[in-house]
Amino acid sequence: MRDMLLIAVYALSGAAAAGIIGALVLRVLRHRSVTVSLTVVAAVTVTAMLAGTLAVAQAMFLSPHDLTVVTMVVAMASVVSLATALLLGRWVVARSRELTLAARSFGDGGSFAAPGGVSTAELDALSRELAATSDRLAASRERERALETSRRELVAWISHDLRTPLAGLRAMSEALEDGVVQDPERYFRQIRTEVDRLNSMVGDLFELSRIHAGALALSPTRMSVYDLVGEALAGADPLAREHGVRLVGEGVEPVPVEVDGKEMTRVLANLLVNAIRRTPADGTVAVAAERREGWVVLSVTDGCGGIPEDDLPRVFDTGWRGSQARTPPAGAGLGLAIVRGIVEAHAGRAEVSNVSGGCRFEVSLPAAAALH
């Protein structure tokens, strides 16, 4: 037992010395190629085995012949180990270089294409992550392009819509100033109407800027959807009467939600105003609310005749007004963008789909937890 312990001590001492030297070499060469590192590791392994073997051989007083045989065997093993490490390192380096070239084209604005051929599990995992990142960046670039297009359209439309009332205000003010107006009261009423329009547009722009900046502060409270829809219908009733449109809110379930009442009222008001203005006289705008698998879904269905399928994905984009909405009272195309922003701030989603004779806007909100 004592002899075995001594042999273990001698072997450990020789191997430890080789290991310490190898660790120092690896530290010095840590910035070099992986081929060099693998070669050093293989050399350290063989050297540690050789050092331990020689230490034990010396302690056991082997004959010179036996010591030569042991050294020769270890030397042959070291040659094979170093050759294997060198080949493995060159193969890993080649795969890494291919991956680097693929990643370089990906970084230059292109899409990432994983290099072909067999690779290590780690390099394969890295390729998959780069491919996933490439897909996310491509989607982000596409969203950025769409947003930039939307911004340009918004600037153009806002400029158009601001220029029209401002030109009218200037003409009416000059006419009043020159005293050539036969009915000043009518001009005053028209000026008030145009100022209200401008104030509404500025308010929408301010609200949209808060949404995009993430500065929309919500104060959620628990309330019934029935009350929420009732207030929105009451506010939209005068406009519906003016346009000869019938409002229907019979399919509303009294389910609870936790929302900011002021902001959600604005959502429903925007949807109702949008539906009323695009529904012909004697048409119907229906409001409904129901619970669906943990969600409360509010819907507004109009009689606009439907939206072209190509336009459906853009309905909630900033500045979108469709091909038939170029002049007042269509507005600046901000109402539906504000709807989506407020709904998403409530962790919900806004969707639109065509139905028979019109379209249906749906707002899905998380259902309020039951009270115990």
Side-chain angles (χ1 to χ4, degrees):
M1 182 66 183
R2 185 170 177 274
D3 293 339
M4 294 300 296
L5 183 59
L6 286 174
I7 291 174
V9 170
Y10 283 124
L12 180 60
S13 300
I20 292 173
I21 295 174
L24 293 175
V25 173
L26 282 175
R27 180 176 177 81
V28 173
L29 301 176
R30 62 185 180 277
H31 298 302
R32 300 295 295 275
S33 170
V34 67
T35 304
V36 177
S37 298
L38 287 175
T39 304
V40 172
V41 169
V44 169
T45 303
V46 174
T47 304
M49 182 178 63
L50 178 60
T53 302
L54 292 177
V56 173
Q58 291 291 338
M60 293 176 62
F61 304 104
L62 293 179
S63 65
H65 177 269
D66 294 339
L67 184 58
T68 302
V69 171
V70 171
T71 305
M72 183 64 67
V73 171
V74 175
M76 293 301 101
S78 65
V79 171
V80 175
S81 299
L82 291 174
T84 303
L86 186 61
L87 291 175
L88 176 61
R90 290 175 62 86
W91 179 73
V92 172
V93 167
R95 300 286 82 75
S96 300
R97 187 176 294 112
E98 292 175 357
L99 188 59
T100 300
L101 293 175
R104 184 176 300 163
S105 63
F106 156 50
D108 291 338
S111 59
F112 176 79
V118 181
S119 184
T120 64
E122 291 78 10
L123 291 179
D124 279 340
L126 181 58
S127 296
R128 289 193 297 270
E129 287 298 325
L130 286 174
T133 302
S134 175
D135 293 339
R136 289 193 294 269
L137 284 177
S140 178
R141 286 193 294 266
E142 186 63 30
R143 287 194 300 269
E144 184 179 355
R145 283 193 292 267
L147 182 59
E148 183 61 29
T149 301
S150 176
R151 285 173 178 168
R152 287 197 298 267
E153 292 177 351
L154 175 62
V155 170
W157 290 338
I158 286 291
S159 300
H160 174 271
D161 288 344
L162 286 177
R163 188 181 298 112
T164 300
L166 287 175
L169 287 172
R170 180 174 182 176
M172 286 185 287
S173 63
E174 289 177 349
L176 289 170
E177 185 178 19
D178 295 339
V180 297
V181 178
Q182 296 180 354
D183 186 3
E185 293 299 325
R186 183 174 68 86
Y187 274 59
F188 289 141
R189 289 193 299 271
Q190 186 63 28
I191 288 175
R192 175 62 183 271
T193 300
E194 296 298 334
V195 169
D196 287 343
R197 278 192 60 225
L198 290 173
N199 183 65
S200 176
M201 291 171 62
V202 172
D204 286 346
L205 282 171
F206 178 71
E207 182 78 359
L208 194 61
S209 67
R210 287 201 305 158
I211 292 172
H212 286 170
L216 184 63
L218 300 177
S219 300
T221 57
R222 189 183 183 92
M223 62 179 60
S224 171
V225 172
Y226 188 85
D227 296 334
L228 191 65
V229 172
E231 293 178 6
L233 289 174
D237 186 65
L239 181 64
R241 292 178 181 274
E242 178 183 344
H243 285 74
V245 174
R246 187 166 65 99
L247 289 179
V248 177
E250 299 175 353
V252 179
E253 300 179 8
V255 292
V257 289
E258 291 185 5
V259 295
D260 186 309
K262 177 182 176 182
E263 298 295 341
M264 198 51 59
T265 298
R266 180 165 191 169
V267 166
L268 290 176
N270 284 359
L271 291 177
L272 286 171
V273 169
N274 183 71
I276 291 169
R277 286 177 173 171
R278 285 161 176 77
T279 298
D282 297 330
T284 300
V285 172
V287 183
E290 60 180 333
R291 182 189 291 270
R292 296 182 193 169
E293 299 179 354
W295 295 87
V296 175
V297 181
L298 294 88
S299 64
V300 176
T301 306
D302 59 33
C304 68
I307 299 174
E309 292 295 330
D310 293 340
D311 286 343
L312 281 177
R314 298 196 56 204
V315 166
F316 292 100
D317 289 352
T318 301
W320 184 88
R321 292 185 294 184
S323 58
Q324 299 178 351
R326 286 291 303 163
T327 58
L334 304 181
L336 294 179
I338 291 174
V339 165
R340 181 174 63 178
I342 294 176
V343 170
E344 290 180 350
H346 284 83
R349 60 178 183 269
E351 300 169 308
V352 61
S353 60
N354 284 323
V355 296
S356 177
C359 60
R360 175 181 292 121
F361 288 85
E362 290 189 349
V363 170
S364 301
L365 300 169
L371 294 177
H372 298 286

